[in-house]
Amino acid sequence: MADTAPALVSTEWLAEHLSAPDIRIVDASWHLPDQGRDAKAEYREAHIPGAVFFDMDDICDQDCALPHMLPSAAKMASRMRKLGIGDGNRVIVYDNSDLRSAARAWYMLKCYGLWDVAILDGGFQKWKKEHRETEDIPPIPRERHFTARFDTTRVRDLRHMLRNIETSKEQVIDARAPGRFSGQDPEPRPGMKSGHIPGSLNVCFRQLLRPEDGTFKSPDEIRRTFEDAGVDLKKPLVTSCGSGVTAAVLSLGLYLIGHRDNALYDGSWAEWGSHPETPVETQ
């Protein structure tokens, strides 16, 4: 079955469909530890009516030392059921984050078999700027059955990435800012190497967004952004970043231009940059 579900909805569209019975709204805000922001506290202060909070630091593999790695299918199903998200729902994800973390939740839901999931274009920032309705009382969701079908083709691990350096079968695109990619700027997590995976290309996730309102650029503009960075869109691709969050913004961008032969390196630089035996390039 081809994955053709629309990946974006506008603030106007969501405002008109807030009470639709099949819609589930999800706040997937997440911030880097050094930003001094508490996404869950901000959600409690104000969120889109009916939205539940998708806690990426809880909906993950907590037995792994790396940040918010993908959880088991059983844990994903359990957490989604408690959030009232299940089979047959249309899920709209948004965030109030400079990192556009909603894309990570979009990617996760796709990984576990939920086809009809989209992102609120422009996020909570655009919603608030337009003076649209918010609330401060979390909903009490009714549990719903969620069938988790994990799609392994969407994920890459360290072993695969090391092998890919030898084979160059897949192009790797890094979503971090240019200074971190080149190794000139320090990593936000302590004890990390600086630089990038050898042979990878840099497309900072912000390049896919319009600076004036945080919405995604047109498919033609996104395609040109990838091509201008040297990405061959005819090849299979792997997205990467600091910890698998902004890499999902690139994954969404690829989805918007119809590129489906791609995966995300879940460990990203949090794994690669802390491993003693991984090679690193700087420039």
Side-chain angles (χ1 to χ4, degrees):
M1 179 179 176
D3 186 354
T4 58
L8 297 174
V9 299
S10 68
T11 51
E12 292 82 3
W13 184 94
L14 184 57
E16 293 171 2
H17 293 81
L18 277 178
S19 59
D22 62 327
I23 296 290
R24 297 292 180 272
I25 305 171
V26 172
D27 183 326
S29 300
W30 182 84
H31 311 293
L32 285 168
D34 63 356
Q35 290 182 306
R37 294 178 64 184
D38 184 333
K40 191 179 293 186
E42 291 177 9
Y43 162 80
R44 292 193 190 104
E45 290 173 6
H47 53 265
I48 294 175
V52 295
F53 186 71
F54 188 106
D55 188 347
M56 277 190 276
D57 289 326
D58 172 65
I59 307 170
C60 63
D61 180 0
Q62 293 184 322
D63 293 328
C64 180
L66 297 169
H68 44 252
M69 295 284 282
L70 289 170
S72 67
K75 182 171 183 177
M76 185 69 173
S78 171
R79 292 297 191 270
M80 292 307 99
R81 186 169 62 248
K82 290 177 182 176
L83 290 178
I85 297 168
D87 304 342
N89 282 148
R90 182 168 200 206
V91 177
I92 311 300
V93 191
Y94 73 88
D95 64 64
N96 187 21
S97 168
D98 293 337
L99 301 173
R100 284 293 174 258
S101 54
R104 173 68 182 187
W106 172 87
Y107 164 77
M108 290 175 67
L109 288 163
K110 290 280 188 181
C111 275
Y112 291 95
L114 191 67
W115 291 94
D116 202 355
V117 53
I119 284 177
L120 178 64
D121 204 11
F124 195 54
Q125 297 98 321
K126 188 170 188 289
W127 184 272
K128 287 193 299 181
K129 190 175 181 180
E130 295 168 351
H131 305 290
R132 299 189 184 276
E133 182 183 3
T134 64
E135 63 183 17
D136 59 4
I137 301 173
I140 302 174
R142 194 172 83 179
E143 289 197 12
R144 186 180 177 97
H145 181 72
F146 183 96
T147 305
R149 297 176 293 269
F150 185 53
D151 184 355
T152 58
T153 67
R154 293 179 180 267
V155 189
R156 296 291 180 267
D157 61 16
L158 178 64
R159 183 179 61 179
H160 181 100
M161 299 302 291
L162 285 167
R163 188 165 63 245
N164 190 63
I165 290 179
E166 305 299 325
T167 64
S168 298
K169 182 180 178 182
E170 297 174 326
Q171 273 193 325
V172 180
I173 320 172
D174 192 320
R176 292 175 299 157
R180 290 174 63 191
F181 179 82
S182 67
Q184 293 179 331
D185 294 344
E187 288 295 308
R189 295 177 178 85
M192 306 282 287
K193 295 182 275 191
S194 295
H196 56 266
I197 297 171
S200 58
L201 301 169
N202 188 211
V203 178
C204 178
F205 75 98
R206 299 188 194 280
Q207 292 178 260
L208 307 190
L209 305 171
R210 296 185 181 96
E212 62 270 20
D213 63 2
T215 59
F216 276 83
K217 294 179 179 179
S218 71
D220 285 344
E221 290 174 303
I222 291 172
R223 187 175 290 105
R224 282 197 300 272
T225 298
F226 282 121
E227 291 174 344
D228 289 349
V231 177
D232 182 354
L233 293 170
K234 296 183 177 67
K235 288 189 69 171
L237 305 171
V238 179
T239 62
S240 182
C241 62
S243 63
V245 175
T246 59
V249 180
L250 299 189
S251 300
L252 179 64
L254 292 169
Y255 185 94
L256 292 172
I257 62 174
H259 191 289
R260 298 292 186 270
D261 191 6
N262 60 80
L264 184 148
Y265 173 27
D266 200 27
S268 284
W269 199 255
E271 180 173 47
W272 193 275
S274 61
H275 196 284
E277 298 177 12
T278 48
V280 170
E281 280 185 351
T282 57
Q283 62 181 32

